[in-house]
Amino acid sequence: MTSRDQSIRVALIGSGIMGSDHARIITDDIPDASLQVICDTSDASARALSQRHAVSHVETDPFKTIQQRDVDAVIIASPDHTHAEYVLAAIAAHKPVLCEKPLAPESEECLRVLDAEMAVGRMLVQVGFMRRFDPAYVQMKSAFSTGAIGDALMMHNFHRNVEAPSKNFSGMMAITNSAPHEFDIVRYVLEEEVVSVTAFEPDKTTVGECKPVVMVLGTSGGQLITIEVNNIASYGYDVRAELVGTGGAVSLNDSVPIRVDKSLSSSFAYAQDWRPRFAEAYRLQDKAWIASIRSGVAAPLASNAWDGYCASVIAEAGAKSLATGSRESIEIIEQPAFYCHSGTRP
Ligand code: ISE
């Protein structure tokens, strides 16, 4: 590990949309970290991003990258199905790792990560559920925990993307790829576990494969949660949430910073995707990650591997419910003591 006044040397694996965003944040916003190497199985993509940020070392082999002696920490922003194997490699190399969500599409793989991390005996994994750092969600949680709205009864969540990330993206994939953000934020805000999920999609066939999905979740605290994930919303990126309590309700305000009033009307522009809406959350998340590497203490707001595991179990049950039409119980393992210390729980 580098000494206090040395930069934390980060390897970035994956140079797509999120990889590029992390590269920009590390380079522009975090003075005590630097990009040491950019790795992508596509050499051309890694090179293009490295040129933008003047990074001289480009790699195509993620495992070799993780093991490099001049790499202190790793960001994983590669396709979902590769996450677990790279996280395991980082743990084996005893290097802190920030992994984009989901930790793994399958909960079995998350269990392997938990086992590996516990065997090493150090919290090395942070999962990129950046909404925990979003000022609006942070205020929602704080309004609730200070008793401003009484006991929580319900939480309603809307998650709309302009278009699906790929052609064959289905409602089922929305549950495993997009919805984990919702599962995590519900656990984080309410500090309850999810105990059941039932998933629905409209019968309408004209919209193709990628139908919107609506899920109803039950929590260990007896609350009811609704989640809409709509990846064909077309009008803009739009995330809404309302927490309803016995003494009031708290909602996220509009997703956009300004409104234009003109010609007897009022309007505001939506973003094309999630990056502008959650720009500050990503920045604060990456900063907290680097700070936690320096201090050796997990970032208090951040999701850890246990949270990644829980989100994947809920996603699996949601996908099953969508296929079977039945209400699925969430069966998680008993939380290992290793993940119970304060500051790292949801
Ligand atoms: C996408 O995969 C993300 O990671 C974004 O954070 C999320 O807002 C979006 O809906 C997902 O599709």
Side-chain angles (χ1 to χ4, degrees), residues 193-233:
E193 291 300 350
V194 175
V195 295
S196 67
V197 55
T198 319
F200 307 86
E201 59 186 355
D203 288 335
K204 215 158 174 50
T205 50
T206 46
V207 293
E209 276 268 290
C210 188
K211 293 180 186 173
V213 173
V214 172
M215 284 171 277
V216 179
L217 275 51
T219 71
S220 47
Q223 294 109 351
L224 205 58
I225 313 297
T226 59
I227 298 174
E228 172 195 309
V229 182
N230 179 358
N231 278 339
I232 50 166

Side-chain angles (χ1 to χ4, degrees), residues 10 30 42 71 83 92 105 115 131 178 186 206 212 249 259 321 323 344:
V10 175
I30 311 188
S42 156
V71 163
H83 288 181
D115 286 344
R131 288 187 186 185
S178 309
V186 164
T206 46
R259 186 188 73 209
S321 172
T344 57

Side-chain angles (χ1 to χ4, degrees), residues 121-138:
R122 268 179 69 201
M123 282 261 186
L124 290 168
V125 182
Q126 184 173 320
V127 180
F129 286 126
M130 80 299 174
R131 288 187 186 185
R132 289 178 178 226
F133 293 88
D134 176 61
Y137 274 115
V138 168

Side-chain angles (χ1 to χ4, degrees), residues 5 21-22 35 65-66 116 159 182 224 236 245 257 274 278 293 339:
D5 45 356
D21 221 42
H22 288 296
L35 270 183
T65 304
I66 291 165
H159 182 148
E182 306 298 331
L224 205 58
W274 58 91
F278 287 110
I293 296 171
Y339 292 105

Side-chain angles (χ1 to χ4, degrees), residues 90-101:
I91 294 172
H94 292 217
K95 294 187 181 175
V97 53
L98 172 61
C99 178
E100 265 301 329
K101 46 59 52 180

Side-chain angles (χ1 to χ4, degrees), residues 34-332:
S34 56
L35 270 183
Q36 188 71 7
V37 41
I38 295 182
C39 172
D40 198 297
T41 47
S42 156
D43 185 56
S45 171
R47 272 186 203 290
L49 187 61
S50 70
Q51 273 158 19
R52 231 179 296 156
H53 296 288
V55 176
S56 55
H57 195 150
V58 169
E59 259 298 340
T60 53
D61 180 344
F63 297 102
K64 203 170 138 200
T65 304
I66 291 165
Q67 279 152 17
Q68 254 176 243
R69 290 174 65 94
D70 59 358
V71 163
D72 302 314
V74 183
I75 295 180
I76 297 174
S78 50
D80 294 1
H81 70 274
T82 63
H83 288 181
E85 54 178 341
Y86 299 159
V87 169
L88 286 168
I91 294 172
H94 292 217
K95 294 187 181 175
V97 53
L98 172 61
C99 178
E100 265 301 329
K101 46 59 52 180
L103 177 56
E106 294 188 9
S107 61
E108 276 300 318
E109 293 176 291
C110 297
L111 287 175
R112 285 173 54 214
V113 171
L114 298 186
D115 286 344
E117 194 173 37
M118 284 190 284
V120 163
R122 268 179 69 201
M123 282 261 186
L124 290 168
V125 182
Q126 184 173 320
V127 180
F129 286 126
M130 80 299 174
R131 288 187 186 185
R132 289 178 178 226
F133 293 88
D134 176 61
Y137 274 115
V138 168
Q139 282 183 45
M140 172 183 268
K141 181 175 168 67
S142 135
F144 165 55
S145 57
T146 54
I149 59 159
D151 279 347
L153 291 173
M154 295 175 286
M155 189 168 170
H156 304 295
N157 306 275
F158 299 81
H159 182 148
R160 296 181 182 153
N161 275 295
V162 172
E163 57 187 4
S166 61
K167 262 208 162 76
N168 57 354
F169 205 84
S170 62
M172 194 76 93
M173 288 156 89
I175 296 179
T176 55
N177 178 274
S178 309
H181 278 303
E182 306 298 331
F183 304 144
D184 185 70
I185 205 68
V186 164
R187 294 181 62 249
Y188 168 71
V189 170
L190 294 175
E191 297 188 21
E192 301 284 356
E193 291 300 350
V194 175
V195 295
S196 67
V197 55
T198 319
F200 307 86
E201 59 186 355
D203 288 335
K204 215 158 174 50
T205 50
T206 46
V207 293
E209 276 268 290
C210 188
K211 293 180 186 173
V213 173
V214 172
M215 284 171 277
V216 179
L217 275 51
T219 71
S220 47
Q223 294 109 351
L224 205 58
I225 313 297
T226 59
I227 298 174
E228 172 195 309
V229 182
N230 179 358
N231 278 339
I232 50 166
S234 72
Y235 68 87
Y237 182 74
D238 192 10
V239 163
R240 306 179 194 181
E242 181 176 24
L243 178 59
V244 184
T246 49
V250 52
S251 300
L252 303 185
N253 235 328
D254 293 339
S255 307
V256 286
I258 61 156
R259 186 188 73 209
V260 176
D261 297 316
K262 197 178 130 186
S263 311
L264 304 182
S265 69
S266 183
S267 66
F268 54 84
Y270 281 104
Q272 172 69 26
D273 68 32
W274 58 91
R275 285 169 295 173
R277 165 65 184 85
F278 287 110
E280 182 64 357
Y282 281 113
R283 202 179 63 78
L284 294 172
Q285 166 193 261
D286 289 13
K287 273 188 100 149
W289 178 60
I290 293 294
S292 79
I293 296 171
R294 284 216 178 276
S295 67
V297 179
L301 293 182
S303 300
N304 59 29
W306 171 255
D307 301 309
Y309 160 73
C310 290
S312 291
V313 175
I314 304 166
E316 263 170 5
K320 187 165 171 208
S321 172
L322 192 65
T324 61
S326 34
R327 176 177 179 274
E328 297 293 333
S329 300
I330 310 296
E331 312 285 352
I332 53 172

